[in-house]
Amino acid sequence: MSHARKEYKDFMTLAPDAYEAVLALGKIAAAAGIDKQLLELIKLRASQINGCAFCVQYHILQGESLGVPTDKLNLVVVWREAPQFSPRERAALAWTEALTLLAGGVSDEVYAQVSSEFSEKELTYLTSAIASINVWNRFGAAYRWTPPPRQKAVGAAAS
């Protein structure tokens, strides 16, 4: 079991300007109108690839709060084999993987697929969201941030 080297709150305190810059980059895609549920799926997928436990848990919880179906959250890791994903979601997930695993480059096929589902402007904002989560993953994985706990519902019985 690994232990946190630093925590998420430490990043906010140690480098508030860097924290604010990464946070701002992460917010612009939603502000530009990219579907928030879709953004959670791509953030979850990038976080899985990058091995960031904090971000995986965070985006599962965010996805749940936005009403992303549980099956999609559970199956995003194997999205190619799961029928729950729309062509637009599949294109965004393929784009996410290409940009997260950038060493292999971005194929013309993946670019054509994502370009058929997103306008040029939408694709630029989607790319900014993928860039942002990859930055967060670098911090979370490097410092082994502790995943956020699931909050118990008010009035729920303790198990």
Side-chain angles (χ1 to χ4, degrees), residues 102-144:
L102 198 52
V106 179
S107 73
D108 290 340
E109 179 183 32
V110 170
Y111 182 76
Q113 179 186 14
V114 77
S115 295
S116 72
E117 294 292 335
F118 292 87
S119 71
E120 287 183 33
K121 185 174 182 176
E122 288 174 322
L123 185 54
T124 301
Y125 282 111
L126 182 65
T127 301
S128 74
I130 296 165
S132 172
I133 191 56
N134 275 284
V135 171
W136 282 118
N137 291 164
R138 273 38 180 192
F139 283 104
Y143 292 109
R144 296 184 189 148

Side-chain angles (χ1 to χ4, degrees), residues 49-72:
I49 292 167
N50 289 322
C52 181
F54 177 92
C55 295
V56 166
Q57 177 72 350
Y58 181 86
H59 293 292
I60 287 171
L61 296 173
Q62 286 295 109
E64 289 174 350
S65 75
L66 291 170
V68 176
T70 301
D71 284 349
K72 281 188 178 181

Side-chain angles (χ1 to χ4, degrees), residues 81-116:
E81 290 78 31
Q84 287 82 357
F85 299 94
S86 70
R88 185 171 170 90
E89 290 167 334
R90 290 176 181 285
L93 289 165
W95 190 243
T96 299
E97 289 183 0
L99 296 180
T100 300
L101 302 167
L102 198 52
V106 179
S107 73
D108 290 340
E109 179 183 32
V110 170
Y111 182 76
Q113 179 186 14
V114 77
S115 295
S116 72

